[in-house]
């Protein structure tokens, strides 16, 4: 069975992430979507909130499993019998960072973890969770970038933060 992994912070999940996941899931028997919990990173949403938005966005997908992890991606892969990593590539600027990660993941897994790059779809080339959080801060239009349920969650979160 070919099991792939697509990992990220998903703070929050965007239509760009979802596009890669849906395309990658067609090439794998199973795709694990892994939500990273990095204790040193400050997120807008908690791990539970990020995971539940990912689960809701992908609930129609039979071969996708959502999990969360801490620590090294390659260790999580080893523990879960996962052989390859899917990464989306947006503008050329992603390439250097992604290549470094791919080499590092290959090295620390003694060549076991393979990385497959997929180009982002044209309409999501410049989309990121960072851009989405910035637009949300100023109450801008998000419907091209987020599913409705995610948009509601980020609007509530910004409102809640503003009221504190
Ligand atoms: O959404 P992000 O922040 O771009 O996701 C980055 C992610 C989760 C893919 C990456 O930070 C990751 O895999 N972190 C876990 C630690 C790790 O294994 N790093 C690679 C070796 S340097």
């Amino acid at each position: 069975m070919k099991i792939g992994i697509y990992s990220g912070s998903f703070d929050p999940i965007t239509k760009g992430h979802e596009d890669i996941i849906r395309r990658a899931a067609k090439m794998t028997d199973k795709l694990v979507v892994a939500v990273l919990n990095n204790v040193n990173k400050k997120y807008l949403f908690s791990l539970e909130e990020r995971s539940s938005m990912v689960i809701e966005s992908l609930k129609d997908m039979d071969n996708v499993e959502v999990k969360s992890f801490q620590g090294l991606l390659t260790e999580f892969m080893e523990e879960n019998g996962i052989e390859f990593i899917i990464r989306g590539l947006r503008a050329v600027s992603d390439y250097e960072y992604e290549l470094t990660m791919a080499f590092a993941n290959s090295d620390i897994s003694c060549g076991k973890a393979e990385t497959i790059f997929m180009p982002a779809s044209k309409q999501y080339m410049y989309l990121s969770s960072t851009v989405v959080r910035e637009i949300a801060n100023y109450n801008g239009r998000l419907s091209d970038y987020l599913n409705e349920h995610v948009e509601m969650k980020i609007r509530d979160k910004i409102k809640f933060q503003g009221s504190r």
Side-chain angles (χ1 to χ4, degrees):
M1 184 148 101
K2 288 278 167 216
I3 312 180
I5 188 161
Y6 181 71
S7 65
S9 303
F10 303 109
D11 191 32
I13 183 169
T14 67
K15 286 187 180 178
H17 293 129
E18 192 177 331
D19 173 62
I20 298 283
I21 294 166
R22 288 184 183 273
R23 288 161 56 207
K26 288 188 202 151
M27 307 187 306
T28 54
D29 294 312
K30 185 165 116 178
L31 182 69
V32 174
V33 176
V35 184
L36 175 71
N37 196 29
N38 179 347
V39 286
N40 297 315
K41 202 167 157 181
K42 210 173 168 319
Y43 298 103
L44 177 62
F45 292 99
S46 69
L47 176 65
E48 291 68 29
E49 289 169 327
R50 289 181 284 126
S51 299
S52 85
M53 286 184 278
V54 174
I55 291 169
E56 177 66 23
S57 299
L58 307 174
K59 64 180 179 201
D60 61 308
M61 301 198 69
D62 293 338
N63 67 335
V64 169
E65 193 179 335
V66 180
K67 291 189 170 200
S68 60
F69 80 108
Q70 264 183 7
L72 284 179
L73 182 65
T74 49
E75 279 178 14
F76 178 80
M77 290 170 70
E78 181 93 45
E79 285 159 17
N80 289 275
I82 301 169
E83 292 160 79
F84 61 96
I85 302 164
I86 305 276
R87 297 295 294 167
L89 280 184
R90 292 166 300 188
V92 189
S93 50
D94 274 353
Y95 186 69
E96 200 168 335
Y97 169 72
E98 291 296 340
L99 206 57
T100 307
M101 292 267 286
F103 284 131
N105 284 324
S106 177
D107 284 348
I108 58 181
S109 66
C110 301
K112 279 194 231 147
E114 196 66 72
T115 300
I116 297 173
F117 294 127
M118 288 186 76
S121 293
K122 271 188 276 181
Q123 68 269 40
Y124 303 128
M125 269 293 163
Y126 292 95
L127 173 57
S128 69
S129 298
T130 309
V131 163
V132 158
R133 292 194 300 271
E134 182 75 359
I135 296 172
N137 263 327
Y138 296 104
N139 206 20
R141 197 169 73 88
L142 285 166
S143 51
D144 286 347
Y145 302 149
L146 299 180
N147 281 329
E148 217 175 302
H149 66 96
V150 179
E151 184 175 346
M152 273 162 58
K153 288 268 187 290
I154 198 164
R155 300 242 183 257
D156 286 351
K157 177 69 80 180
I158 302 280
K159 224 182 282 167
F160 176 72
Q161 285 191 333
S163 69
R164 282 196 307 172

